[in-house]
Amino acid sequence: MSVVVSNVSKWYGSQKALDEVSFQIGKGEVLAFLGPNGAGKSTMMKIITTFIAPTSGSVKVCDFDIIGASLEVRKRVGYLPEHNPLYVDMYVREYLQFIAGLHRIKNSEGRVKEMIALTGLEPEQHKKIGALSRGYRQRVGLAQAIIHDPEVLILDEPTSGLDPNQLIEIRALIRQLGKEKTVMLSTHIMQEVEAICDKVIIIKQGKIVANEKASGLRSQQSAALVRVEFREPVQSVLLQQINGVLNVADQGANRWVLTSREGEDIRQAIFQFAVEHQLTVLTISREERDMEQVFRELTQNKD
Ligand code: ADP
Ligand code: MG
């Protein structure tokens, strides 16, 4: 595993940003961290990259603890922060040279040249960063994130603010990087997942509401949702085991949204499950939705 997040919570004063978040990213996987604004995506990424500490829980990157071995973690992580703060008065090449120096990279000139070629910065390499378009600035951001050849890349909303052409180019670049590296990218755009990722985690109000393979999402043009309310609490891992259930979302107060393939009806299986586990089903209803709607369903506020 490249990244192992275990029961991470983060409070900013009295504001809870992450609530017992756990997930893992396998070596070489490309994970989308999908969620609306304020869901906790940037907070999670700042924790993984050692910029802020969690209030509780633990994170390991390539088997190194983010608190106990933060320097080892930083060597193995490349980070493109949300607003990609760059030194606008520096020249592209000068800036990358500066970053290479921070990482104490040997033969840094050669490495900078390599990064400029890899990220397609050649035509703009002699310009000041302040003079670059947003798309080229993102390339500089990606170049600084990979210059020390990290195993893990953490990209916070790498495509936000790009025009459609830049979007396609940056996605292609991320896909290319994803062939060699473990990548976690955050986005609030569902289509991004289709375009780039192997796996998707949907986060809402600091809690994971879905965690599945993107191929699962892709293969389902649409899905059936079953809303069920039990009288008693039940563990999501048990619900996950019900035959035909693809995804489980906790709606609070013993209410759940279970997703199954389009055309399949899992209600009978749910009743059977309830009987086996001595649970009472208070309400149950079923509807068909496409994945875009499922995402909205999982992330919108109920109350
Ligand atoms: P996202 O990246 O998904 O939009 P963030 O991780 O930036 O979400 O924020 C999660 C929650 O934590 C939000 O409610 C946000 O207002 C709050 N938050 C983020 N940073 C701070 C901070 N430095 N101080 C206080 N609250 C913060
Ligand atoms: Mg953010």
Side-chain angles (χ1 to χ4, degrees):
M1 285 293 153
S2 287
V3 178
V4 179
V5 174
S6 312
N7 303 102
V8 165
S9 294
K10 174 69 184 178
W11 292 79
Y12 292 109
S14 59
Q15 155 103 47
K16 191 185 243 184
L18 293 173
D19 189 1
E20 295 285 313
V21 171
S22 300
F23 63 90
Q24 304 188 342
I25 317 175
K27 196 168 167 106
E29 269 181 346
V30 180
L31 170 82
F33 207 49
L34 186 66
N37 285 330
K41 303 181 297 295
S42 297
T43 300
M44 190 70 245
M45 293 181 141
K46 285 177 199 161
I47 291 172
I48 295 172
T49 53
T50 77
F51 283 89
I52 60 173
T55 308
S56 61
S58 72
V59 178
K60 284 192 169 175
V61 178
C62 308
D63 291 329
F64 290 100
D65 186 85
I66 49 155
I67 307 288
S70 61
L71 285 178
E72 294 301 323
V73 171
R74 284 190 184 210
K75 279 186 208 164
R76 290 164 179 83
V77 168
Y79 177 37
L80 177 63
E82 188 166 21
H83 300 295
N84 188 11
L86 297 167
Y87 295 93
V88 287
D89 283 330
M90 282 179 115
Y91 292 92
V92 170
R93 188 182 275 277
E94 179 192 15
Y95 171 71
L96 293 175
Q97 198 65 51
F98 165 69
I99 300 291
L102 293 183
H103 289 294
R104 299 174 200 280
I105 289 169
K106 295 193 187 84
N107 178 24
S108 62
E109 272 182 35
R111 184 67 184 161
V112 166
K113 227 176 148 180
E114 214 182 307
M115 290 302 101
I116 285 174
L118 181 67
T119 54
L121 273 166
E122 274 144 336
E124 307 285 292
Q125 61 179 305
H126 298 297
K127 288 192 181 165
K128 275 193 176 178
I129 290 172
L132 300 181
S133 68
R134 170 112 178 111
Y136 275 102
R137 284 189 197 200
Q138 285 302 72
R139 288 169 197 257
V140 176
L142 284 168
Q144 68 76 31
I146 57 178
I147 198 160
H148 55 304
D149 197 21
E151 178 180 322
V152 180
L153 265 183
I154 306 285
L155 311 175
D156 198 352
E157 309 235 8
T159 58
S160 77
L162 299 181
D163 71 33
N165 288 327
Q166 296 170 338
L167 196 77
I168 288 168
E169 289 165 9
I170 294 293
R171 278 183 187 161
L173 184 54
I174 294 171
R175 247 199 318 267
Q176 186 189 337
L177 295 172
K179 284 184 190 152
E180 290 174 13
K181 302 197 179 295
T182 304
V183 179
M184 174 181 187
L185 69 91
S186 68
T187 177
H188 56 270
I189 310 163
M190 183 77 194
Q191 283 79 0
E192 206 99 297
V193 178
E194 286 236 332
I196 320 179
C197 302
D198 306 316
K199 229 171 106 175
V200 55
I201 286 179
I202 301 179
I203 181 170
K204 173 193 166 186
Q205 292 180 325
K207 274 192 174 194
I208 290 182
V209 294
N211 184 347
E212 60 184 290
K213 284 223 160 71
S215 57
L217 287 183
R218 261 182 231 122
S219 66
Q220 301 161 244
Q221 282 306 313
S222 47
L225 298 187
V226 172
R227 287 166 205 288
V228 55
E229 182 183 3
F230 297 104
R231 193 167 62 195
E232 305 80 6
V234 51
Q235 280 182 301
S236 79
V237 283
L238 293 177
L239 292 170
Q240 199 93 53
Q241 288 162 12
I242 296 174
N243 213 358
V245 170
L246 296 176
N247 182 56
V248 168
D250 186 351
Q251 306 282 287
N254 303 332
R255 287 174 298 148
W256 299 85
V257 175
L258 308 185
T259 314
S260 70
R261 237 172 286 281
E262 181 188 24
E264 236 173 86
D265 193 349
I266 53 171
R267 283 176 295 182
Q268 200 175 341
I270 293 170
F271 276 115
Q272 215 167 333
F273 167 87
V275 171
E276 278 164 19
H277 291 80
Q278 301 183 329
L279 300 165
T280 309
V281 175
L282 294 179
T283 59
I284 190 163
S285 64
R286 179 177 181 279
E287 57 203 280
E288 303 242 328
R289 295 288 182 88
D290 67 26
M291 283 315 296
E292 185 82 39
Q293 287 171 311
V294 172
F295 168 59
R296 256 184 264 128
E297 178 75 30
L298 292 176
T299 55
Q300 83 197 0
N301 284 328
K302 283 281 165 333
D303 25 41

